[in-house]
Amino acid sequence: MILKQLKSPVLRYGLLALFTIMVVFLLFISSIYLGVWGRIPDKDSMSDFKYQKASEVYSADSVLIGKYYLYDRQPIQYEDFPQHLVDALVAIEDERFYRHTGVDYRSLLRVAIKTILLQDQSAGGGSTISQQLAKNLYPREDGGRMGLVVDKIKEMIIAGRLEDVYSKEEVLQHYLNTVSFGDNTFGIESAALKFFNKRTLELTIEEAATLVGMLKATYGYNPRINPENSLNRRNLVLSAMEQNNFLDEGVRDSLSKLDLGLEYREYDYNAGVAPYFREEVRKQLLKWNAAQNEAGHSYNIYTSGLKVYTTLDYKLQLLAEKAMANHMAKLQESFEKSYGANAPWITNKALIAKTIRNSMPFKKLIRQGLSDEEAMDSLSQKKSMTLLNWDGDKTLDASTLDSITHYMKFLNTGSLSVDPHTGEVKTWIGGVNYKYFKYDHISQSKRQVGSAFKPIVYTAALESGIDPCTYFSAQEVEYKNLEGWSPSNSGDKEEDYLNYSMEEALSNSVNTVAVKVLEETGIGSVIEQAKKMGITATLPRLPSLALGTGEISLAELAGAYCSYVNKGVPVRPFVLRAISDSKDSILQNFTHDMPAEEAFSRENGMIMLEMMKATINSGTAARIRTEYGLKNDIAGKTGTTQNNKDAWFVAVTPNLVHVTWVGLDQHEIGFKSTSLGQGANAALPLFAIWYGELNKDPEFDLITRAHFSPPDSGVLDKLDCEPVKRDGFFKRLFKNPEKKKTKKFDDGV
């Protein structure tokens, strides 16, 4: 009717077109509201949404050492936000946040004018915090330009509903817990830990401004990747805080002059402190999780926000890793230099070919249907790759074959320290570099332990009634019933004239005596003694057992040695203390029952400890005193296996037992010489360097200043004998050291 009264056809048709557009737009809005373009969540569903939360792993001294997650998120409460964090967010992202109900139409108009027409980048974005929360909770789907318009309107509707359901503080809480900071990091708590290594509540004003500034562009304003951009953006946030009366001008000026002050920590499976330990915790946690789910609970270690409390001592671990890197870098250099141009990873074609064929890349290509020749050809193609080196990783053009032969030569290690009274693991180093060597030499490996097994042999001998001052000849013997097997010592033939007390033989690791002690004790008795001391590995029923040909894990060996300072009771090393849910309710405390019976008598335990003290003071591990200058109460044992394949050292102190193994994963390769590959040279320094650092820090006095209980006078009396007796004149006269003594090995069975 009104249109007919208009005389101008242009005006009449213009108004008609405008009216039509408005009707179409309202119908479009209504169709979105009614769910034609996809369901919009209602208020009920919004009132109880749940985050996927990262599970956290803590050391015994309450340091966050790792996380397990699909999305790195650790939700916190509004009370955990410092006020200046909230102020920074509101100032730069939504300065009218407390005056709108989800959509700020006034700000939309302001942004349209200032940003589009005036090109003022400080104007902020058009979306409110509530709209951004809607976007975080209900991510957009790629639907082209029309889809973007639909998503924007959906977010406006959802924002209004969110503000009906939640208070302003709750909206801020949910927003800061869900927003992405890039690098698969979600939520302010995870971002604060990653970029500043502190909790959100501890953030300073400038640190909060830096993180809030990232929200505009998580890559462009990432303080680690683009520090200059990040600094400028932070200062812009500080200016916005001043403009909104959250900061005084003088405070803003002083804060703007500060550096970013990053303390970046990447919670990466392959990096960070104790990666092998964290992987072992993850494996044990998965088993626990499966048992819990079978019992009707619903937990997921990657999404349930569990808090895992472990036994690891953070500072001890850091020092142990530093000592390992220090020693292994030097040892690797000496190892490669000892072989020179004739190294087996260079000249031994058969071994190289075997290693390649056993490698995962080669096996994968064969499974894909390639022939051996085709697989070799594929693996020989050069490409840019990064190879591990102790003096810094090197990126170069190399083939997969080059990579395989490169890692053939790498020495590896396993290093474990345990509280001997509880079994709590204090340090855990499963290898030299988790990124390149995933195999854990503590949880996955069993190697021959060499002379590190001898204390178990001698303990069994004492338990069977053999007096510690019994003398055994060091003369080499060829055992006729063992196909001429003839264990020997590393000394000269003069040893054939010597007779050792048990203490002297153990401290100097005399092989021939160890076999004779085993013979007199009985193989069965020694194996039974090992079981009493917590060794579950299947041991060979052969005389070579005395020389450590049995393959035992580091953890079992550590648990067995703990019995010498734990009243004869072995321990089972463990890593978990407790697990709680995201609200800190304890789900399970872990207790580890130790064997009820002592593995040996108190007196024999004291005797063995005195024997192993002699190993440190004057025997094969004397360099602890002479070279490293450690004056602490220490007992222990070195070990070296045949062909210098495995080097071991076990240190026993009153409150800590430490076991170290060094060798190659490529088991066909050993050290070039015993002087380089013996336990005292290859393995002992990892303990000695580490313990020397502990001595410098009073925090570790309970470990380093602890003393062994003084032995009973009867124990000292039993050990009061000449360490070595030389054969008499006539016996030496008729003994030919060039001719081996032959006899039958008698196990008494």
Side-chain angles (χ1 to χ4, degrees):
M1 188 70 180
I2 297 175
L3 291 174
K4 290 181 179 180
Q5 294 176 355
L6 294 172
K7 295 181 179 180
S8 171
V10 174
L11 183 59
R12 186 165 62 249
Y13 288 118
L15 288 173
L16 180 61
L18 180 61
F19 178 76
T20 303
I21 291 172
M22 289 178 63
V23 171
V24 171
F25 183 71
L26 288 173
L27 289 172
F28 177 61
I29 297 291
S30 298
S31 69
I32 295 174
Y33 189 86
L34 294 171
V36 174
W37 299 84
R39 178 181 173 274
I40 298 177
D42 56 26
K43 293 180 183 180
D44 288 339
S45 64
M46 290 179 182
S47 64
D48 190 31
F49 58 81
K50 296 180 179 179
Y51 309 120
Q52 287 191 348
K53 309 170 190 176
S55 291
E56 304 170 350
V57 183
Y58 291 91
S59 66
D61 40 347
S62 302
V63 178
L64 178 64
I65 60 173
K67 304 179 186 180
Y68 308 123
Y69 56 83
L70 299 179
Y71 302 102
D72 185 4
R73 178 188 289 122
Q74 294 163 272
I76 55 176
Q77 299 301 309
Y78 181 82
E79 292 74 21
D80 295 321
F81 299 153
Q83 186 59 44
H84 51 258
L85 169 66
V86 174
D87 294 343
L89 177 65
V90 170
I92 197 68
E93 293 290 332
D94 190 358
E95 60 185 12
R96 284 174 45 80
F97 174 71
Y98 294 105
R99 298 193 293 276
H100 64 65
T101 57
V103 181
D104 188 353
Y105 298 103
R106 174 178 162 182
S107 290
L108 282 174
L109 181 61
R110 173 182 56 80
V111 169
I113 294 173
K114 293 184 71 174
T115 303
I116 299 174
L117 298 181
L118 302 180
Q119 298 294 301
D120 184 354
Q121 297 302 314
S122 66
S127 295
T128 65
I129 290 173
S130 304
Q131 287 173 260
Q132 293 178 52
L133 173 59
K135 181 180 174 182
N136 293 343
L137 297 177
Y138 307 101
R140 298 171 179 174
E141 296 181 4
D142 186 11
R145 291 185 178 179
M146 180 59 73
L148 180 61
V149 174
V150 171
D151 286 334
K152 278 285 188 181
I153 296 172
K154 278 186 177 181
E155 288 162 8
M156 294 170 74
I157 296 170
I158 294 171
R161 291 180 179 178
L162 284 169
E163 295 234 1
D164 287 341
V165 174
Y166 297 107
S167 66
K168 287 291 186 179
E169 288 77 12
E170 289 172 327
V171 169
L172 289 170
Q173 176 185 326
H174 290 312
Y175 175 74
L176 282 171
N177 279 329
T178 57
V179 68
S180 171
F181 288 86
D183 296 337
N184 200 29
T185 302
F186 294 83
I188 188 67
E189 182 79 343
S190 291
L193 287 165
K194 175 169 283 188
F195 290 98
F196 294 105
N197 192 26
K198 59 176 62 173
R199 297 290 183 182
T200 302
L201 193 59
E202 301 167 337
L203 290 172
T204 62
I205 297 173
E206 67 276 12
E207 290 167 347
T210 298
L211 295 178
V212 167
M214 290 180 66
L215 300 178
K216 184 177 177 64
T218 56
Y219 181 83
Y221 295 123
N222 186 307
R224 178 178 63 88
I225 301 171
N226 297 300
E228 186 175 349
N229 289 351
S230 177
L231 188 64
N232 292 334
R233 177 67 179 172
R234 181 202 70 180
N235 291 343
L236 185 64
V237 174
L238 293 173
S239 295
M241 293 177 72
E242 181 205 346
Q243 293 167 12
N244 284 275
N245 300 315
F246 294 131
L247 281 184
D248 292 334
E249 181 180 358
V251 175
R252 189 263 297 166
D253 286 342
S254 62
L255 293 179
S256 296
K257 296 174 183 177
L258 298 175
D259 294 333
L260 288 172
L262 292 188
E263 190 177 340
Y264 189 81
R265 283 193 67 189
E266 178 70 73
Y267 292 95
D268 181 358
Y269 290 146
N270 292 325
V273 67
Y276 291 95
F277 178 83
R278 287 187 277 115
E279 174 60 11
E280 176 63 19
V281 169
R282 187 186 72 87
K283 290 177 181 178
Q284 295 194 21
L285 198 56
L286 284 172
K287 292 179 181 178
W288 173 87
N289 191 83
Q292 291 291 310
N293 289 345
E294 286 181 8
H297 303 290
S298 180
Y299 301 119
N300 184 309
I301 72 168
Y302 303 108
T303 62
S304 295
L306 302 173
K307 295 184 179 179
V308 185
Y309 301 96
T310 72
T311 63
L312 192 84
D313 187 297
Y314 180 74
K315 292 186 72 173
L316 284 178
Q317 178 73 21
L318 285 181
L319 291 172
E321 291 182 3
K322 181 180 178 181
M324 182 274 291
N326 179 332
H327 173 63
M328 294 301 293
K330 296 176 182 176
L331 186 65
Q332 184 71 41
E333 182 180 5
S334 299
F335 174 73
E336 292 182 35
K337 188 180 294 185
S338 70
Y339 273 107
N342 294 319
W345 54 88
I346 299 174
T347 61
N348 192 331
K349 304 303 181 185
L351 179 58
I352 293 171
K354 177 183 176 182
T355 305
I356 292 170
R357 284 179 166 78
N358 286 333
S359 69
M360 292 305 296
F362 181 85
K363 290 179 178 179
K364 182 178 179 181
L365 292 175
I366 296 300
R367 286 197 300 269
Q368 292 173 357
L370 273 67
S371 66
D372 282 18
E373 184 178 349
E374 290 170 333
M376 287 291 190
D377 182 63
S378 175
L379 296 177
S380 64
Q381 301 301 312
K382 301 282 186 181
K383 57 187 176 183
S384 178
M385 65 170 61
T386 301
L387 299 178
L388 171 67
N389 282 279
W390 279 111
D391 58 351
D393 294 357
K394 291 183 171 61
T395 301
L396 66 164
D397 284 336
S399 68
T400 302
L401 296 182
D402 295 330
S403 172
I404 292 170
T405 55
H406 174 76
Y407 291 116
M408 279 178 67
K409 66 184 179 183
F410 262 82
L411 293 167
N412 224 311
T413 189
S415 176
L416 179 72
S417 65
V418 177
D419 183 325
H421 309 297
T422 65
E424 290 189 347
V425 168
K426 295 303 177 184
T427 66
W428 179 300
I429 299 175
V432 292
N433 189 303
Y434 186 73
K435 180 179 179 180
Y436 295 96
F437 300 99
K438 292 291 191 288
Y439 188 78
D440 189 335
H441 293 92
I442 296 175
S443 65
Q444 295 176 280
S445 177
K446 289 185 178 182
R447 303 287 287 241
Q448 291 187 355
V449 294
S451 296
F453 188 77
K454 287 176 181 175
I456 298 175
V457 176
Y458 282 65
T459 302
L462 294 175
E463 286 289 292
S464 70
I466 298 176
D467 189 278
C469 275
T470 303
Y471 288 90
F472 293 86
S473 170
Q475 183 179 11
E476 185 175 344
V477 176
E478 182 179 301
Y479 296 98
K480 296 183 292 183
N481 57 333
L482 298 175
E483 299 180 353
W485 181 62
S486 179
S488 60
N489 303 315
S490 57
D492 55 33
K493 287 296 181 181
E494 183 65 20
E495 272 197 316
D496 282 356
Y497 298 119
L498 304 180
N499 300 278
Y500 287 88
S501 69
M502 289 176 66
E503 180 178 37
E504 188 71 7
L506 180 64
S507 65
N508 286 284
S509 206
V510 183
N511 289 337
T512 52
V513 171
V515 174
K516 291 168 184 175
V517 172
L518 175 77
E519 181 179 22
E520 187 161 334
T521 306
I523 295 176
S525 296
V526 171
I527 292 176
E528 185 60 30
Q529 183 65 53
K531 289 180 180 178
K532 290 179 180 178
M533 294 173 69
I535 304 295
T536 62
T538 301
L539 300 175
R541 287 187 168 272
L542 297 169
S544 60
L545 176 64
L547 308 182
T549 55
E551 296 180 346
I552 302 173
S553 71
L554 268 86
E556 284 198 352
L557 193 64
Y561 270 83
C562 286
S563 60
Y564 293 117
V565 282
N566 192 41
K567 300 178 180 178
V569 179
V571 301
R572 299 185 185 94
F574 68 97
V575 300
L576 294 177
R577 278 184 168 179
I579 299 172
S580 71
D581 62 19
S582 59
K583 297 180 181 178
D584 292 322
S585 295
I586 296 294
L587 301 176
Q588 184 169 341
N589 283 306
F590 292 86
T591 57
H592 292 260
D593 297 329
M594 290 183 283
E597 295 183 2
E598 297 175 353
F600 43 77
S601 71
R602 179 174 177 274
E603 181 180 72
N604 286 336
M606 288 183 176
I607 291 172
M608 286 304 306
L609 199 57
E610 292 302 306
M611 289 183 177
M612 289 189 287
K613 287 180 190 177
T615 302
I616 300 295
N617 295 330
S618 58
T620 58
R623 64 188 306 184
I624 286 246
R625 307 295 192 202
T626 59
E627 183 175 340
Y628 294 99
L630 300 184
K631 298 178 181 179
N632 316 73
D633 278 19
I634 304 171
K637 188 70 188 77
T638 57
T640 312
T641 62
Q642 192 172 13
N643 297 323
N644 307 309
K645 299 277 182 75
D646 305 276
W648 292 85
F649 179 65
V650 184
V652 179
T653 73
N655 291 325
L656 202 69
V657 167
H658 185 278
V659 180
T660 299
W661 164 87
V662 173
L664 282 88
D665 291 330
Q666 186 67 47
H667 200 230
E668 289 88 342
I669 303 174
F671 285 89
K672 180 72 172 177
S673 65
T674 301
S675 61
L676 186 63
Q678 63 184 332
N681 183 74
L684 179 149
L686 276 88
F687 168 79
I689 295 170
W690 175 63
Y691 215 72
E693 292 300 312
L694 302 193
N695 279 332
K696 298 175 184 177
D697 192 338
E699 182 177 342
F700 303 118
D701 282 356
L702 286 176
I703 296 172
T704 57
R705 292 182 179 271
H707 296 286
F708 293 121
S709 299
D712 295 345
S713 58
V715 168
L716 297 178
D717 289 341
K718 284 196 170 187
L719 290 168
D720 187 17
C721 53
E722 290 294 324
V724 180
K725 286 185 176 180
R726 186 175 172 82
D727 285 340
F729 173 76
F730 288 104
K731 195 169 185 179
R732 295 199 308 272
L733 184 64
F734 292 102
K735 181 182 288 186
N736 182 0
E738 300 301 324
K739 185 178 180 180
K740 294 178 184 177
K741 179 180 178 180
T742 60
K743 70 180 289 286
K744 177 182 177 182
F745 185 88
D746 182 9
D747 188 26
V749 179

